[in-house]
Amino acid sequence: MSQLAFFVNSDACSGCKTCQVACKDKNNLPAGVHWRRVYEVTAGTWQKKGEAWTASVGVYNLSVACHHCAEPVCGKQCSVDAIWKRPDGIVLLDQQRCTKCNKCRSDCPYEAIRFDGATNTVGKCDFCADRLDAGLLPVCVTACPNRALDFGEIEALRSRHSTGGTPPLLDRVFPLDDPAVSRPSLLIRPHRHAALVQDRQPEVSNWEEL
Amino acid sequence: MAAAKNIDTFGSDGVSRRCFLEIAAGVSLSALFGPLPAWAAEGTRVVRAGCPSHNCGGRCLLTLHVENGVIVRIETDDRPADGIEAPQLRACIRGRAYRRRQYHPDRLLRPLKRTGKRGDGQFAPISWDEALDTVAAALQRVKKAYGNQALFVPYGTGSYNQTNGRQVAQRLLNLFGGSLGHYNNYSWAAMARATETVYGTGVTGNQRQDWLNAKYVLMWGWNPAEVRDGTNTEFFLRKARENGARIVCVDPRMTLSAVSLADEWIPIRPGTDAAMMSAMAHVMIASNLVDAAFISSHCVGFDASQMPADARDAESYKDYVLGTRDKVPKTPAWAEPITGVPRETIERIAREYATRKPGVLYQGYGMQRRAYGEQVVRAGCALAAITGNVGVPGGWAGGLALQAPNGGPLWTVFPTGANPVTASIPTFLWTEAVVRGRELGAAQGVRGVEKLDASIKLIYAVASNALINQHANINRTAQILRDERLVEFLVVQDQFLTPTARFADIVLPACTQLEAWGVEDGWKYGDEVLLMPKVVEPAGESKSDYRICSDLAAKLGLRDAFTEGRTERDWVEAALTTYRKSYPGLPALAEFEQKGTGVFSVPVTRPAVAFADFRRDPAAFPLATPSGRIELFSAALHAMNRPTEIPPVPKYIPEWEGPFDATGKKYPLQLIGHHTLARVHSTMNGVDWLEEAFPHRLFINPLDAASRSLSNGDQVRVFNDRGELTIKCRITRRIMPEVVAIPQGAWWAPDAKGLDRGGAVNVLTSERWTPLAFGNAQHTVMAEVVKL
């Protein structure tokens, strides 16, 4: 079976959130509703030695949306079968069927499904399915000023971004949940400081923005 | 927008956003902008246009989807090719969020006249006729009473293309007999002036594709991910790193750029960069890592062997660094307690930069908007020179770094005409010209006359929130502007009721750049021209800056002289003719429109390198400095005879308010007002998609927060002798201890007691200017933070 996936180059991500707003513009999402958002992960401490300051501080950003999981758990408890998977692997949520019971929101391990109080709808990233069908790229991918996002058929995408002896791409870095739960279709190039950060009690520092 | 909450901007007569949208929906423009892409929804018109961008530091391309006269979606550059020679001009978060500004309920839709005391923010809507008659009468009256030197069009970038923005008002006043001029700006006053003292020009930057040739990049106080500094600058740096360059960022904040671009971040105490640079020079000299041959053939003032004739015995650069005269060797051990950077780190970075060549030392502008900001500029240029990184591919001369070979983008090509008033002041000193104009002369940077004849009595502010919000020491400025005996008439032309507009006697509603024709080329860097066609109709009764000035010109009997019979579109056509000299092959307007690309790019395949000719043959291609060489020692500065403030060699000078002095004891935190992606300076304040992405917060280190018993998200009070504001705090490891930051540009919103609830950093900044450039030193601030 075919499976589309996002590639996220966390190493090149500044956390500028252009992807987040491009997504909001495309989907007309009000303030407070994010289908794509960016974690700011920080760790480390400051030390003073004599008169000098040393920071053993690491930071990385991780842009995330719906991961269009190979085994989506969000739809398992949907009583009206409003969540379904296209042949290309995109996980879609049918607004017509949805009863706004919000079960999928609590089942998604990635908080990818969001409730919009203004329109009383539950929604999430649809991979810009309409754009894909028209031969275009997802709007977030075309938005990134530092060209840190990509997408494609997952194995082709993996090989495209695994050139030149680079370390293997990951499907999980902090704070993402265990990929065994739903097998997210996500390829991450971790930030060069990711190992250091994850060794030092990392935390998400921008909860109010998520 | 918080600042406007206590007045009803335009609601009293029923003209609301809803009403505007209905009006706009009735308008249909012909599809001028090229074929409709197959992917656009039926009935949608797609327009590619330069982003309004204001003064963000970039110039990007938007692809706007318009339905029934309303912009319904904003995408970006969709040209298929995205190579290094002419990469896509991808808009940042601000361009992508522009609909939320364009259709903001606080847009100004009608002319207003003041009904309360000046600055109280009470207004009533009036007709355009009444508004322009009032302004015209005031111009005539002040001109008659005080002369044209009493008229002033201040700095401002709230609208910023060739036919929109302050320059159209400048053209009008020039035709009206002139107005007091101003030179330099709030961005890089010290940078521009100091760079000239070293290189004789500001054109010291290579085309950015050349960064791919660098082996080392020192991003010193430079944060292109947030300040842009040319569309795609961060992308070129990413490519340089992928190409093998090691990138190190020196900055008090671990900026967005430090995270996405740098291999290493070195926090440094603000205002001490010149100390670290001097210590790096010490390492290079002591370890013989300087490029002695280049210094000998291309520089002056390095040591006693190359001092100018009229300063043979003066202290050379090497004397200062080694401490020959002052007995203070500028070693890394000396710099450590000043900068807060470990001596081993300083030594290592010095060795890396001196040996991993060619290398780029790029100096950001924030560190020169400080006390003695000229020094850090000259000190950085000196490091580039003594390592021989000047004039070579992959190197970088430092300083202002306008783009080789000819200065890059052209800034203003709209003809403002000659100003019959020859007097001009440094931009930052306009309040001095208000309170004591006739005392101002050369000592305050006045040019063109010995002394001013008049104080400023009438201000015509177009797209400028620099009178209140962006100028230093807001409480002082507000007091000055409230006094109607000083500035007798203040007209503000803008798109929103900014804190500056709240002080206006008359407010003229300007439309956005998406509602009028315009054109631009790149911002500092880049080799492209961006068309900005009129995309939708102006909101309410708003008009373009050009149209407003045309109508005002008519009231003054100057319409024909002002317009020359041209519309905005005609001026765009004229601007293209001017641009064509720099961008050969640039199509005429009709063809440009017909292509529908919105942008004309000149691919850069062989990036120009500044000073390449000088490097090759300094005798045949001397610099425009007095010596014709790189001036590590400036005889011109020496002749000014003010060595403690304006030394002829670059020095670290402790700031006039800092952590080591009495102010620092009272207010122990250094405060910087960095740029944020939530705004462009003060423009785009209150755009919800931006505010939620980058909430307005005071950034404070966990150690400083702990010693003040602060928790994340606490509402705090930030204060010093000049003022106080309140803001929520974000406790973050990404800022150095003893340093706090508030993103500049939030709108001033004082409560009845004068506590600013908007979080405008300029209530805390000082109006004191830098000694050589007369530039703003708005980052030199000490403050204290307590829980509110």
Side-chain angles (χ1 to χ4, degrees):
Chain A
M1 181 169 158
S2 163
Q3 178 64 58
L4 288 176
F6 282 114
F7 164 79
V8 181
N9 185 347
S10 174
D11 194 50
C13 176
S14 72
C16 76
K17 300 186 180 171
T18 305
C19 54
Q20 170 179 312
V21 164
C23 173
K24 295 183 79 114
D25 178 71
K26 197 258 177 188
N27 295 299
N28 280 312
L29 303 178
V33 180
H34 311 306
W35 288 0
R36 182 169 276 287
R37 60 205 196 285
V38 183
Y39 289 109
E40 178 200 24
V41 178
T42 73
T45 54
W46 285 81
Q47 301 86 33
K48 194 166 194 183
K49 188 182 144 205
E51 295 294 312
W53 285 105
T54 308
S56 45
V57 170
V59 174
Y60 63 81
N61 301 294
L62 186 68
S63 171
V64 293
C66 170
H67 302 315
H68 301 276
C69 301
E71 295 167 14
V73 294
C74 53
K76 283 189 176 163
Q77 294 195 66
C78 180
S79 56
V80 293
D81 290 334
I83 293 178
W84 55 291
K85 210 164 159 62
R86 291 206 325 189
D88 58 6
I90 299 179
V91 176
L92 291 175
L93 193 160
D94 187 337
Q95 295 291 345
Q96 308 300 324
R97 290 177 171 224
C98 175
T99 62
K100 290 91 179 172
C101 74
N102 280 303
K103 209 176 283 294
C104 55
R105 287 178 59 213
S106 44
D107 286 348
C108 170
Y110 300 104
E111 299 179 78
I113 305 177
R114 299 288 169 130
F115 179 69
D116 178 352
T119 55
N120 189 33
T121 53
V122 176
K124 68 169 197 68
C125 161
D126 64 359
F127 224 116
C128 286
D130 55 343
R131 288 176 59 97
L132 293 183
D133 293 346
L136 296 162
L137 315 182
V139 75
C140 54
V141 171
T142 65
C144 179
N146 219 14
R147 283 77 168 172
L149 294 174
D150 197 1
F151 85 106
E153 190 61 41
I154 188 160
E155 289 314 320
L157 187 66
R158 191 190 308 277
S159 58
R160 184 153 82 240
H161 291 282
S162 302
T163 52
T166 49
L169 304 176
L170 307 179
D171 55 4
R172 178 193 199 181
V173 295
F174 179 87
L176 299 185
D177 211 345
D178 183 353
V181 175
S182 60
R183 295 182 53 215
S185 308
L186 176 67
L187 299 176
I188 302 166
R189 172 166 295 150
H191 191 275
R192 52 203 170 279
H193 297 152
L196 179 146
V197 170
Q198 295 187 91
D199 283 352
R200 298 181 189 204
Q201 297 177 306
E203 58 186 29
V204 173
S205 311
N206 66 336
W207 283 115
E208 67 173 319
E209 298 159 15
L210 297 167
Chain B
M1 305 202 171
K5 264 185 188 149
N6 66 338
I7 73 135
D8 188 349
T9 318
F10 49 80
S12 57
D13 60 352
V15 180
S16 65
R17 176 176 172 239
R18 182 177 304 277
C19 179
F20 152 64
L21 289 175
E22 283 163 6
I23 296 165
V27 176
S28 89
L29 297 174
S30 56
L32 292 167
F33 309 108
L36 188 71
W39 43 271
E42 197 177 344
T44 301
R45 192 166 55 88
V46 173
V47 186
R48 296 187 186 85
C51 181
S53 78
H54 306 285
N55 188 19
C56 62
R59 298 260 187 234
C60 309
L61 192 69
L62 302 182
T63 301
L64 302 126
H65 294 227
V66 184
E67 277 176 26
N68 299 318
V70 176
I71 299 165
V72 296
R73 192 188 294 179
I74 298 181
E75 294 173 358
T76 191
D77 195 342
D78 58 353
R79 288 175 294 174
D82 189 28
I84 202 75
E85 299 85 4
Q88 290 177 342
L89 304 170
R90 295 188 178 190
C92 77
I93 184 172
R94 294 165 292 196
R96 301 306 290 262
Y98 211 83
R99 278 202 290 148
R100 304 299 288 176
R101 179 173 195 269
Q102 175 74 15
Y103 299 116
H104 198 289
D106 290 347
R107 282 277 304 275
L108 280 169
L109 302 180
R110 296 195 60 183
L112 304 172
K113 74 172 176 191
R114 173 164 67 88
T115 55
K117 281 197 258 178
R118 191 187 276 167
D120 285 356
Q122 291 168 325
F123 296 94
I126 55 173
S127 70
W128 268 111
D129 247 358
E130 183 184 348
L132 294 178
D133 282 338
T134 308
V135 175
L139 281 164
Q140 302 278 19
R141 183 181 59 72
V142 171
K143 174 179 173 171
K144 192 173 172 194
Y146 302 101
N148 281 81
Q149 225 183 70
L151 311 176
F152 190 60
V153 178
Y155 182 81
T157 58
S159 200
Y160 199 159
N161 64 28
Q162 296 305 327
T163 46
N164 293 280
R166 60 169 301 279
Q167 74 279 5
V168 294
Q170 191 63 58
R171 174 180 172 86
L172 174 58
L173 288 200
N174 287 351
L175 291 166
F176 186 61
S179 64
L180 178 63
H182 56 98
Y183 65 89
N184 72 28
N185 54 53
Y186 284 82
S187 298
W188 61 44
M191 180 65 88
R193 179 72 180 87
T195 302
E196 274 178 20
T197 66
V198 181
Y199 289 114
T201 175
V203 185
T204 62
N206 308 348
Q207 279 177 308
R208 295 169 299 169
Q209 282 83 354
D210 182 58
W211 291 337
L212 273 68
N213 297 318
K215 294 203 170 85
Y216 196 72
V217 179
L218 255 176
M219 304 173 60
W220 205 308
W222 185 41
N223 176 21
E226 282 169 279
V227 308
R228 317 311 291 160
D229 205 5
T231 298
N232 280 319
T233 285
E234 58 180 329
F235 178 58
F236 289 126
L237 288 164
R238 179 190 159 186
K239 290 292 175 192
R241 188 166 162 269
E242 286 173 0
N243 230 20
R246 174 172 161 75
I247 301 187
V248 175
C249 178
V250 182
D251 201 300
R253 295 171 60 230
M254 190 188 215
T255 58
L256 270 62
S257 307
V259 172
S260 63
L261 299 171
D263 294 284
E264 179 180 2
W265 170 52
I266 298 172
I268 186 168
R269 193 171 275 142
T272 67
D273 308 274
M276 177 162 164
M277 290 172 176
S278 301
M280 287 169 63
H282 193 283
V283 173
M284 294 174 195
I285 292 168
S287 306
N288 207 18
L289 296 173
V290 297
D291 186 338
F294 181 76
I295 292 169
S296 166
S297 52
H298 289 75
C299 300
V300 295
F302 177 74
D303 61 20
S305 74
Q306 49 172 212
M307 295 298 284
D310 49 359
R312 192 68 68 200
D313 299 322
E315 181 186 36
S316 70
Y317 178 68
K318 188 174 172 183
D319 284 338
Y320 168 71
V321 169
L322 297 182
T324 316
R325 306 281 176 100
D326 63 7
K327 307 301 172 202
V328 181
K330 311 304 176 302
T331 60
W334 163 82
E336 180 181 279
I338 298 170
T339 58
V341 181
R343 63 192 73 181
E344 306 78 31
T345 305
I346 298 174
E347 167 124 15
R348 176 171 55 82
I349 297 300
R351 290 181 180 280
E352 285 180 13
Y353 175 60
T355 56
R356 286 185 73 134
K357 294 203 282 191
V360 173
L361 193 172
Y362 197 111
Q363 300 162 280
Y365 307 142
M367 59 188 177
Q368 51 90 55
R369 289 191 291 268
R370 304 193 65 93
Y372 314 109
E374 296 90 355
Q375 297 311 309
V376 70
V377 180
R378 288 175 43 79
C381 294
L383 290 182
I386 66 173
T387 52
N389 272 307
V390 178
V392 291
W396 193 258
L400 182 58
L402 300 176
Q403 176 181 292
N406 50 17
L410 300 179
W411 308 109
T412 301
V413 304
F414 177 81
T416 57
N419 189 346
V421 172
T422 54
S424 71
I425 58 169
T427 295
F428 188 59
L429 270 65
W430 69 269
T431 55
E432 303 302 314
V434 169
V435 298
R436 55 182 181 113
R438 299 174 71 153
E439 296 171 25
L440 301 195
Q444 291 79 29
V446 169
R447 291 181 183 168
V449 292
E450 209 160 294
K451 292 265 182 198
L452 297 188
D453 292 336
S455 295
I456 293 171
K457 290 293 178 186
L458 182 149
I459 296 178
Y460 184 4
V462 176
S464 172
N465 193 16
L467 295 187
I468 288 286
N469 215 80
Q470 300 304 96
H471 192 67
N473 199 348
I474 290 177
N475 291 314
R476 170 183 177 269
T477 319
Q479 193 177 10
I480 291 168
L481 287 181
R482 275 200 189 96
D483 187 344
E484 294 177 46
R485 294 165 304 177
L486 294 173
V487 176
E488 295 180 4
F489 193 81
L490 173 53
V491 51
V492 174
Q493 180 170 315
D494 213 319
Q495 301 162 22
F496 288 86
L497 197 74
T498 64
T500 292
R502 289 168 61 85
F503 279 72
D505 300 311
I506 293 285
V507 178
L508 304 176
C511 68
T512 70
Q513 292 171 83
L514 297 173
E515 296 166 342
W517 270 91
V519 66
E520 273 295 333
D521 59 351
W523 193 100
K524 190 181 169 196
Y525 298 114
D527 297 84
E528 52 268 329
V529 174
L530 294 131
L531 205 57
M532 299 172 158
K534 178 175 174 177
V535 179
V536 291
E537 289 298 309
E541 294 182 21
S542 69
K543 300 179 185 183
S544 75
D545 288 326
Y546 176 75
R547 187 60 54 89
I548 296 170
C549 287
S550 306
D551 293 349
L552 183 55
K555 300 282 188 189
L556 297 167
L558 297 168
R559 179 191 281 279
D560 292 346
F562 180 81
T563 66
E564 299 177 15
R566 288 171 159 148
T567 63
E568 294 96 325
R569 192 178 178 283
D570 298 331
W571 285 109
V572 167
E573 185 142 36
L576 291 181
T577 306
T578 310
Y579 282 132
R580 199 165 294 116
K581 292 170 196 157
S582 297
Y583 303 91
L586 179 66
L589 181 51
E591 187 191 342
F592 203 162
E593 266 189 278
Q594 198 273 330
K595 281 185 173 166
T597 55
V599 63
F600 175 82
S601 292
V602 180
V604 177
T605 49
R606 297 172 60 192
V609 173
F611 305 120
D613 289 343
F614 165 71
R615 170 99 196 189
R616 196 172 60 250
D617 189 343
F621 301 96
L623 300 185
T625 55
S627 64
R629 291 178 164 210
I630 300 169
E631 301 207 339
L632 303 173
F633 179 98
S634 164
L637 298 183
H638 181 64
M640 293 176 81
N641 199 24
R642 291 172 60 194
T644 55
E645 290 191 306
I646 309 176
V649 297
K651 293 186 174 183
Y652 164 67
I653 306 174
E655 299 192 304
W656 52 62
E657 120 173 17
F660 311 119
D661 59 25
T663 324
K665 287 201 170 61
K666 192 171 173 191
Y667 301 113
L669 298 170
Q670 285 187 283
L671 168 65
I672 51 177
H674 64 280
H675 288 38
T676 171
L677 285 172
R679 290 180 292 275
V680 180
H681 306 297
S682 71
T683 309
M684 302 192 83
N685 189 67
V687 172
D688 57 358
W689 287 356
L690 300 177
E691 286 189 333
E692 66 173 354
F694 296 99
H696 191 53
R697 300 288 179 263
L698 169 98
F699 295 90
I700 186 167
N701 184 281
L703 299 173
D704 296 318
S707 62
R708 288 163 179 76
S709 304
L710 299 178
S711 305
N712 212 14
D714 277 352
Q715 191 78 29
V716 298
R717 189 168 74 94
V718 190
F719 61 100
N720 61 20
D721 286 344
R722 291 178 288 267
E724 57 178 357
L725 62 81
T726 180
I727 187 172
K728 284 183 180 171
C729 71
R730 168 79 63 90
I731 300 171
T732 177
R733 302 171 167 96
R734 296 176 65 170
I735 193 162
M736 187 169 184
E738 298 160 5
V739 181
V740 292
I742 296 175
Q744 58 100 358
W747 285 14
W748 183 55
D751 66 14
K753 291 177 179 167
L755 174 68
D756 171 33
R757 295 190 169 271
V761 71
N762 281 316
V763 301
L764 303 165
T765 59
S766 164
E767 72 278 14
R768 185 167 170 182
W769 55 87
T770 69
L772 175 65
F774 306 95
N776 48 326
Q778 279 162 283
H779 294 308
T780 295
V781 178
M782 300 304 294
E784 180 55 296
V785 175
V786 298
K787 201 164 170 174
L788 186 69

